[in-house]
Amino acid sequence: MSKIESHDAPATDGAFELDPEIADHLTTRRQALSRAGLWGIGAAMASLPLGLGVLAKSAYARQGIPQQVEDILNFALTLEYLEAEYYTLGVQASGLIPSAHVPIFDLLRIHEVQHVELLQSVLGDAAVAKPTFDFTAGGAFDPFNDYAQFQILAQAFEDTGVRAYKGGAAGLNSAPDLLDAALQVHSVEARHASEVRALRGQSRWIQFDETDVAAIAAVYAGEANTTHAGVEVTGVTGVSERGVTEAWDEPLSVAAVLEIAGLFIVD
Amino acid sequence: MIHFGRGSVRRVKRAEKPGSTIPTTEILMKRFDVRSDSPLPTRRDFLRRSALAGGVIVFASACSDSGVMDPGPDPEAASFGSGNVAVLNYAYLLEQLEAAYYIAVVNDFYPNATSEERSLLTDLRDHEVAHRDFLAVALGSAALPEIEFDFSAVDFDSRTSVLSFARTFEDLGVSAYNGAGRLFTADADGAALLTIAGKIVSVEARHAAAVRSMISSNPQAFAGDDVVDGNGLDVLRRPDQVLAAATDFVVTPLDPSGIPSA
């Protein structure tokens, strides 16, 4: 199993800035022609009973969705594509998931597919196409034949998702209806993360920046932070430092999230 | 020694509490869904109701609409302040509620609590106490006072009762933070506070999943369809809905009128 190198990407409060290179990347995807098939926009729109598409259209009827908001939503969509495909393939892999755990991963699959459809409905033609994924990360992992690895990557994806939405939310504070939805997705990802961690016998909350698997250490970079809004919390509470690190989850920069996700994206 | 003493917790029910605002019979009937054809209230119902009658969160409109007896704004009610401060105080109220609850749970576990359950509930206490203490310092002199709570509706000797209320409080907290994000100002200050709130709410959601899995045999309970809708979205509640649910447990009179509206 290869290592996703841990790096010191500090979690920054509220910062959501797209690296120009990443923005270009997303723009390129946006222009990609391959929108047909399973993830086709038209099909998603047609099957959505309620979705936020209508809402986004009315909110931005004249000027369209602001570029910054669009970038955040496409960033989120990319992660949701990844999670949705991962659980879809996992649930389909015969003999991989023990029957007692199938309902759990199937629920994760259902939610991630719903998130994909929701974001597609909001973005409309501006939605990025689904990337091509390689969940072996070039042969480093074997999640669809090895259940332990499948769970490890599920934990990594869920905890990364929580951090990514947290980072993105601050950039949506001028788009209140989309912010509502982003926060509602965010807490669902956290419920998922909690359950997957428990399934692995791990603490449901992130302790310091620890992980039992070095290969996913980058997912937890910066999680040991104990200073919030300028308050060093360990100095104002009787709760242990470990407890304080557990009690706050940290955002992750877009660059760091895409570095993690990028390992599984072929194109 | 960890000091968990802040926050008054009343585990023993009182027949009556002083309250400067007296809800009218009409409001009580509505609040407790008492209908003329309802069976006679049980002793438990009665005790809950008398406890509730003391829990007063003053909504200006509710008072004036009641007509018969309009006590006007309670000068003693604790103000949330306004703007971003009011949103943080709203979070502070909920964190005080949760902290007080788990302090009471952990101080005297229900019989036969497993070591896993004790450990998990102790973690929840620690997290909520840390959230509470952080918000108290962040708010400084603008902070709500120490709120007095009434948990007489909880049977602290019953695993089912303790975990059911824990589930209620965690899901309520998640929905409250989800619905409060947009109440922060749409500027850099608001964005920074939104991130702070986001750092807390995902831990509340981790809690909610934990408690739900403890109390239910349904393997999908952690994110069940009673909290996650057909678009994969978690519950979201605005302050009026959250405070209406929390008022059952709050003794201290509150004036939340300064909380920004969605």
Side-chain angles (χ1 to χ4, degrees), chain A residues 115 180 184 237 246-247 249, chain B residues 127 131 182 202 232 234 238:
Chain A
H115 296 163
D180 276 352
Q184 289 173 279
T237 186
E246 291 169 349
D249 284 339
Chain B
H127 300 166
H131 293 162
R182 70 189 284 165
S202 55
D234 214 324
R238 302 299 179 201

Side-chain angles (χ1 to χ4, degrees), chain A residues 224-228 231-234 241 244-245 250:
Chain A
N225 176 40
T226 55
T227 301
H228 307 285
V231 178
E232 173 46 60
V233 180
T234 55
E241 184 180 359
V244 171
T245 67
E250 296 294 321

Side-chain angles (χ1 to χ4, degrees), chain A:
Chain A
M1 199 180 288
S2 85
K3 241 180 142 155
I4 299 173
E5 292 297 333
S6 179
H7 56 90
D8 296 318
T12 50
D13 283 2
F16 187 93
E17 283 176 26
L18 275 182
D19 185 293
E21 208 174 304
I22 294 159
D24 282 353
H25 182 64
L26 290 175
T27 306
T28 308
R29 289 205 172 286
R30 192 178 306 127
Q31 290 162 346
L33 296 172
S34 56
R35 295 251 173 75
L38 180 60
W39 305 99
I41 307 286
M45 291 290 282
S47 66
L48 260 187
L50 114 99
L52 285 173
V54 174
L55 180 155
K57 276 180 196 132
S58 62
Y60 300 112
R62 286 181 183 80
Q63 72 277 40
I65 300 176
Q67 191 62 49
Q68 188 208 11
V69 170
E70 192 180 296
D71 288 344
I72 293 170
L73 298 180
N74 268 322
F75 166 65
L77 176 57
T78 302
L79 288 179
E80 298 291 358
Y81 279 137
L82 182 148
E83 291 182 306
E85 183 156 306
Y86 185 69
Y87 295 122
T88 299
L89 293 173
V91 169
Q92 286 171 356
S94 72
L96 176 69
I97 303 174
S99 57
H101 293 177
V102 167
I104 295 171
F105 286 106
D106 200 45
L107 187 62
L108 268 50
R109 178 190 64 79
I110 289 167
H111 289 160
E112 309 304 2
V113 169
Q114 288 168 338
H115 296 163
V116 166
E117 291 174 348
L118 188 65
L119 286 161
Q120 286 179 328
S121 79
V122 173
L123 283 158
D125 289 344
V128 292
K130 183 179 77 69
T132 302
F133 296 108
D134 168 19
F135 293 107
T136 73
F141 298 95
D142 190 17
F144 303 124
N145 291 302
D146 180 331
Y147 185 51
Q149 289 194 29
F150 178 77
Q151 291 177 289
I152 288 167
L153 288 186
Q155 176 184 320
F157 293 152
E158 295 297 342
D159 278 331
T160 299
V162 173
R163 301 192 70 175
Y165 272 95
K166 207 184 310 297
L172 295 176
N173 77 335
S174 57
D177 292 334
L178 296 177
L179 175 61
D180 276 352
L183 291 173
Q184 289 173 279
V185 172
H186 172 243
S187 59
V188 169
E189 302 290 343
R191 288 177 188 267
H192 292 175
S194 177
E195 200 65 16
V196 172
R197 293 174 66 95
L199 214 53
R200 296 191 57 244
Q202 298 298 303
S203 164
R204 287 174 175 268
W205 7 100
I206 299 165
Q207 303 177 314
F208 294 101
D209 55 359
E210 295 170 358
T211 164
D212 63 318
V213 179
I216 61 171
V219 173
Y220 302 100
E223 282 282 3
N225 176 40
T226 55
T227 301
H228 307 285
V231 178
E232 173 46 60
V233 180
T234 55
V236 301
T237 186
V239 174
S240 71
E241 184 180 359
R242 173 173 295 272
V244 171
T245 67
E246 291 169 349
W248 276 263
D249 284 339
E250 296 294 321
L252 197 58
S253 71
V254 176
V257 170
L258 289 181
E259 194 176 320
I260 293 166
L263 292 169
F264 304 96
I265 297 176
V266 175
D267 177 36

